[in-house]
Amino acid sequence: MSLTQGAKASQACISCRKQKRKCDKTLPVCSLCARMGRPCDYSDVSPSVPTADDLASLHTRLAELEQRLRSPVASETSSGIFPDVGRQPVNGPLWLGPPSMNRFPSAIFLDIDCFKWAQLPIPKPNVDVPQDVYDILSHGNAVQEATAEYFDSVHHWFPIISKKRMSLGISLWEGGPDLAMLFLAMKLLTSQPIAGVDSAVDNHLYTASKRFLALLEGSGTLSLIHLQSMILVTLYEFGHAIYPAAWMSVAMCARYIDVIGIPSFKESSLMLGSCATWTESEERRRVWWAVYILDRAICLGNKRRYSLPEPEDNFILPVDDGAWDDGDPSRGLQASINTPAHQHQGPFARLAQVSMLISQTTTHCRTTVRNNLRNTAPPFDITSVQSLIDNLISFGRIVQSDLTSPSPPSASLSPASTITTITTTTSTSTTTPEDRYFALLTPRCLALSALIQLLDVYSCPENLRDGPGPGGIDAPNPKTADELAMQVRAISGLRDASMAVRDLSLEMLEAVVLPAGQRRLSPLCLDALYAAMATLHWLWKESGDAVVGEALEDVRRAIGRLAMRWRLANEYLDMVHHHDVTTVMAWKGVSP
């Protein structure tokens, strides 16, 4: 039966009702649904549980809010994920179809050759977005606020999600339910500790995130967006000391990387499809480095084995962060992992470089301690230890100089670096000196963490090679001249490194006076403060030096301030308290 011209429905369509928009009730499709290219349903039945289509409607609503975000006060950074150029209209949902069982091809794990020869397809899973996630993301401007906050804080020190691809709408078009998970993970990581709640595990965002990740995993979701969500949740667990979850999550990320085949473009194209742009290929590389960095950082204190192998010699460091943010391949000059540290690199590349130094340091310390316990240590190799110490000290100085010299001196420019210097002036990146400070603060702190860890192994007066007994008093063999010289350097170096951390802690205290500064601080910085506190605690007990005591108190104040952002800081404070509850009190002249 044909519809009478101008016929109206008796009620608003489901989409307009959900979004609380005025519906003109035109049949068969209302004007708003026709303009947005979405299905228009006038039925009176609404689903009891939100599905993927519900979130698609939410996405449409977000697209409609684009005009607000184009206001003069909303810059690319503050407006979040929406484009200001080149955006295409949304013609329909990003994902369709009813929920389905996991149809992921098991041949990938049972017989990879069979999978390749048979060219078995990887079906796109259809996953319902959980009710609690839908409620969180559909509340007010939750997605815009979360993405704007993420790119204004975390992105500066851990840039692994392409802001350019987000702003052009590419990630929005390619994403499915995993995109909802990414938005949720952004909101989780940027959330502040809840007053009156003792544990970060009790955060409802964390509970919703873990459940949604498990749902995506169970449905066979395989995407870069899913992995990025896993990384952000792992960072949250690391920053708030949620163990053993953080430890297990890093390993899961490493396993996921192995499945999708990054950073190899050839291997990853099998699972993720071919890279269409340079920006996309760089994003894949950065995700690999993100897991590598977390895997090394989380082993600093426990010296356990890594989940991710070392990069091969042909691995490429992340390119300049500003070039990637701008989507400018002309400035994205690549450098291998063997590139000398003194050559100019961006902050994220510095983070990758210091993580490789951490890897060498932790491996050396783990091997040394294990051999000492077994009384099977090889002859003392002072040359390799001295070289590693020198590399850590030198790297710290280089990163420090990056703060004041973002480009290499013109006198030593190569043709390639000359191009970099010239094109840097045309960057549209909105990075400020404060952003650069917080981005470089992380590799500076991690270099000091690794240095303190290494020097600590060789600072003991007893001969660890011979396996000292209880109290370290029954080592039968005295140290050699080289070992004694190493001990002197280690103890002196520990003091110097700890005082350098004290200086950094004073900088942090000044930088995080305002909440904006706290938001931009990485939890990866905290290990250095703890290592320095533990060292200064020991040195004060040995000598009672007032200068050391003052430094200890400065670092303690800084880490106490940072506990307002990351609960991990409180854990470190408790651990120092366990060393000796009377030390700081005695220095202050207070009886325990």
Side-chain angles (χ1 to χ4, degrees), residues 538-549 587:
W538 166 60
L539 292 175
W540 188 88
K541 287 184 68 177
E542 294 285 2
S543 66
D545 188 338
V547 174
V548 173
W587 175 74

Side-chain angles (χ1 to χ4, degrees), residues 48-367:
S48 59
V49 178
T51 65
D53 289 341
D54 293 323
L55 200 65
S57 298
L58 170 63
H59 173 72
T60 303
R61 176 192 175 198
L62 299 177
E64 293 169 5
L65 294 175
E66 179 182 0
Q67 295 302 322
R68 295 189 202 174
L69 301 176
R70 289 186 180 184
S71 62
V73 282
S75 64
E76 181 183 15
T77 300
S78 62
S79 64
I81 59 175
F82 296 101
D84 48 15
V85 292
R87 178 165 176 81
Q88 299 297 320
V90 179
N91 295 320
L94 296 179
W95 54 91
L96 295 170
S100 61
M101 299 296 290
N102 185 347
R103 293 177 286 116
F104 190 86
S106 58
I108 292 177
F109 299 93
L110 300 178
D111 188 344
I112 187 64
D113 293 328
C114 174
F115 171 76
K116 292 178 179 178
W117 294 335
Q119 297 182 344
L120 298 177
I122 301 178
K124 192 176 183 67
N126 293 310
V127 184
D128 286 342
V129 178
Q131 176 74 53
D132 53 351
V133 175
Y134 181 78
D135 291 342
I136 291 169
L137 297 182
S138 62
H139 180 71
N141 295 326
V143 172
Q144 291 98 324
E145 292 170 358
T147 52
E149 174 70 12
Y150 173 85
F151 284 116
D152 193 41
S153 55
V154 177
H155 183 73
H156 292 298
W157 54 265
F158 214 67
I160 64 169
I161 299 172
S162 174
K163 183 164 62 173
K164 179 57 66 175
R165 282 168 54 80
M166 279 279 189
S167 68
L168 293 176
I170 298 173
S171 299
L172 302 179
W173 278 95
E174 294 178 350
D178 51 357
L179 181 62
M181 179 63 238
L182 183 62
F183 291 150
L184 182 63
M186 287 179 171
K187 186 173 180 62
L188 170 70
L189 185 56
T190 55
S191 65
Q192 301 289 329
I194 302 173
V197 177
D198 294 334
S199 173
V201 179
D202 296 329
N203 187 338
H204 73 287
L205 293 174
Y206 177 66
T207 304
S209 297
K210 294 293 280 189
R211 279 202 294 249
F212 197 7
L213 282 177
L215 180 63
L216 291 171
E217 178 187 342
S219 68
T221 303
L222 202 67
S223 69
L224 192 69
I225 292 176
H226 184 199
L227 178 55
Q228 288 169 327
S229 302
M230 294 169 62
I231 292 171
L232 297 190
V233 173
T234 303
L235 261 175
Y236 176 84
E237 293 172 335
F238 178 90
H240 296 287
I242 304 176
Y243 286 99
W247 178 262
M248 301 301 181
S249 296
V250 170
M252 289 179 64
C253 290
R255 283 290 196 181
Y256 203 99
I257 271 181
D258 196 40
V259 174
I260 62 180
I262 59 173
S264 167
F265 301 139
K266 181 179 180 181
E267 293 182 23
S268 63
S269 63
L270 185 65
M271 302 295 173
L272 303 179
S274 301
C275 291
T277 63
W278 166 80
T279 307
E280 183 180 7
S281 65
E282 175 66 14
E283 186 170 23
R284 292 186 185 183
R285 180 181 296 114
R286 283 170 175 259
V287 167
W288 187 93
W289 277 113
V291 178
Y292 179 88
I293 291 164
L294 283 175
D295 192 28
R296 271 48 184 178
I298 208 169
C299 290
L300 263 171
N302 55 66
K303 304 179 182 66
R304 296 184 184 274
R305 291 182 178 85
Y306 312 120
S307 299
L308 203 64
E310 293 299 322
E312 299 176 3
D313 289 340
N314 61 347
F315 270 38
I316 303 299
L317 290 170
V319 301
D320 179 76
D321 299 338
W324 184 57
D325 274 343
D326 294 340
D328 186 357
S330 67
R331 296 178 11 241
L333 305 179
Q334 295 182 339
S336 75
I337 61 172
N338 295 317
T339 301
H342 62 79
Q343 291 193 14
H344 175 66
Q345 301 293 338
F348 196 59
R350 292 300 190 202
L351 193 52
Q353 288 177 318
V354 76
S355 297
M356 290 188 288
L357 288 173
I358 289 174
S359 190
Q360 298 173 35
T361 302
T362 304
T363 300
H364 175 86
C365 295
R366 181 175 60 237
T367 303

Side-chain angles (χ1 to χ4, degrees), residues 24 71 86 109 192 274 309 312 371 438 489 550 577:
D24 61 13
S71 62
F109 299 93
Q192 301 289 329
S274 301
E312 299 176 3
N371 288 342
F438 283 110
R489 182 181 185 186
E550 291 173 1
H577 180 78

Side-chain angles (χ1 to χ4, degrees), residues 506-557:
L506 294 177
E507 289 182 13
M508 293 183 201
L509 280 171
E510 186 174 345
V512 301
V513 170
L514 299 177
Q518 294 178 16
R519 293 189 293 104
R520 298 185 180 191
L521 187 93
S522 166
L524 299 174
C525 297
L526 295 175
D527 182 83
L529 273 66
Y530 168 71
M533 276 200 303
T535 302
L536 292 168
H537 179 279
W538 166 60
L539 292 175
W540 188 88
K541 287 184 68 177
E542 294 285 2
S543 66
D545 188 338
V547 174
V548 173
E550 291 173 1
L552 173 60
E553 180 64 11
D554 287 338
V555 180
R556 189 202 65 78
R557 284 192 299 112

